[in-house]
Amino acid sequence: QVQLVESGGGLVQAGGSLRLSCAASGRISNINAMAWYRQAPGKQREFVAVIFTNMRTNYADSVKGRFTISRDNAENTVTVDLQMNSLKPEDTAVYYCKAASTGNAFWGQGTLVTVSS
């Protein structure tokens, strides 16, 4: 099992920045990739960004150039951050951290990001 704890959400004005953090613990040696997803009110959950164990990254088109995902490996934890710049009202959503291992996926509880216009 992998436990995920997210932090860093909040209220920000359009054009501002926020940094989300996700701390993974447990069976972290099996994790192949960690990602951020988001779900806006009334919409389906969507992919935002992913970082693999080889540090390769990929982003949704809607956040390219504005968001940066990074990963820090410690002995017993893995922390994945999402730096969000130039935020727009349409970025408002609950942001979820996901850890993927072969055959399994684990989700955090989500953290709310609200961008005011």
Side-chain angles (χ1 to χ4, degrees):
Q1 293 293 324
V2 174
Q3 294 79 44
L4 301 172
V5 178
E6 298 130 332
S7 60
L11 173 64
V12 65
Q13 287 189 332
S17 298
L18 277 177
R19 188 176 184 90
L20 306 182
S21 186
C22 173
S25 59
R27 290 183 174 269
I28 59 173
S29 61
N30 296 332
I31 296 174
N32 298 323
M34 291 190 68
W36 286 95
Y37 284 71
R38 66 186 182 187
Q39 187 166 17
K43 294 188 177 181
Q44 290 188 332
R45 192 172 297 188
E46 64 177 8
F47 166 78
V48 175
V50 63
I51 187 165
F52 299 93
T53 51
N54 62 4
M55 306 304 278
R56 183 171 63 88
T57 60
N58 195 22
Y59 297 90
D61 288 343
S62 59
V63 306
K64 279 181 182 176
R66 300 188 298 122
F67 291 11
T68 303
I69 189 169
S70 61
R71 174 173 175 155
D72 182 61
N73 297 325
E75 183 174 351
N76 295 313
T77 62
V78 173
T79 302
V80 174
D81 290 346
L82 186 69
Q83 177 65 41
M84 305 185 296
N85 299 327
S86 302
L87 282 161
K88 305 174 182 179
E90 50 264 44
D91 294 318
T92 295
V94 177
Y95 283 70
Y96 296 91
C97 178
K98 175 185 176 183
S101 60
T102 303
N104 284 294
F106 303 91
W107 293 90
Q109 79 285 356
T111 185
L112 177 63
V113 171
T114 303
V115 184
S116 63
S117 56

